[in-house]
């Protein structure tokens, strides 16, 4: 069975907004950094789902976001949206997940992001790794 998700890659001042997923049994990729977003409700279009998810998860009424790319396999249809985060991190309210942070491209490339709340580094969920690979041309050569 396939399921569909809408995910947001939001940039503010050269840094990307990430969500540290809850570390609980039964969710996909617990305790990893990922993107804000989630499952599409029945009959919901991806463009609607991402705006609903951003309101629910961080209390942000985002403007319409352009579709960046799609990923489809036997289990998942993922719709990635990309745009600017037009408010400071302090204007957001974390309603889902353990933490949120802005991470630069080099931090994303390292695959380990610092959690201010947990005071530790955590790895990236596969959906975020997929988005980072799309950013690779902007990252330049690895050292």
């Amino acid at each position: 069975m396939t399921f569909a998700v809408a995910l947001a890659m939001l940039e503010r001042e050269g840094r990307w907004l990430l969500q540290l997923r809850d570390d609980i049994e039964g969710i996909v990729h617990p305790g990893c950094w990922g993107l804000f977003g989630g499952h599409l409700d029945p009959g919901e279009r991806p463009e609607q789902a991402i705006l609903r998810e951003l309101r629910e998860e961080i209390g942000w009424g985002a403007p319409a976001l352009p579709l960046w790319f799609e990923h489809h396999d036997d289990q998942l249809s993922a719709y990635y949206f990309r745009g600017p985060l037009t408010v400071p991190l302090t204007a957001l309210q974390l309603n889902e997940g353990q933490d949120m942070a802005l991470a630069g491209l080099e931090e994303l490339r390292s695959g380990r992001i610092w959690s201010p709340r947990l005071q530790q580094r955590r790895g990236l969920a596969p959906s975020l790794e997929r988005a980072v690979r799309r950013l690779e041309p902007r990252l330049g050569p690895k050292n």
Side-chain angles (χ1 to χ4, degrees), residues 9-12 16 65-66 81-85:
M9 190 74 172
L10 302 171
E11 184 177 16
R12 180 167 176 80
W16 301 92
L65 296 170
F81 294 85
R82 183 173 163 186
L85 176 63

Side-chain angles (χ1 to χ4, degrees), residues 44-100:
E44 189 175 40
R45 294 188 327 268
E47 299 82 6
Q48 296 168 313
I50 194 59
L51 299 179
R52 175 185 50 76
E53 288 285 349
L54 291 172
R55 277 190 309 276
E56 292 173 3
E57 294 183 355
I58 55 177
W60 183 45
L65 296 170
L67 182 65
W68 181 26
F69 72 95
E70 298 177 22
H71 168 81
H72 302 281
D73 61 34
D74 292 339
Q75 299 176 356
L76 174 70
S77 288
Y79 301 89
Y80 289 78
F81 294 85
R82 183 173 163 186
L85 176 63
T86 57
V87 297
L89 197 60
T90 55
L92 304 177
Q93 177 166 342
L94 184 64
N95 298 320
E96 189 173 310
Q98 300 180 76
D99 205 355
M100 65 180 157

Side-chain angles (χ1 to χ4, degrees), residues 104-132:
L105 295 174
E106 288 303 320
E107 293 169 284
L108 290 169
R109 177 185 271 166
S110 78
R112 307 278 302 164
I113 308 295
W114 180 256
S115 168
R117 282 192 189 166
L118 299 183
Q119 296 292 299
Q120 58 184 251
R121 295 198 185 282
R122 293 290 184 102
L124 307 184
S127 58
L128 178 54
E129 289 175 350
R130 197 173 293 116
V132 170

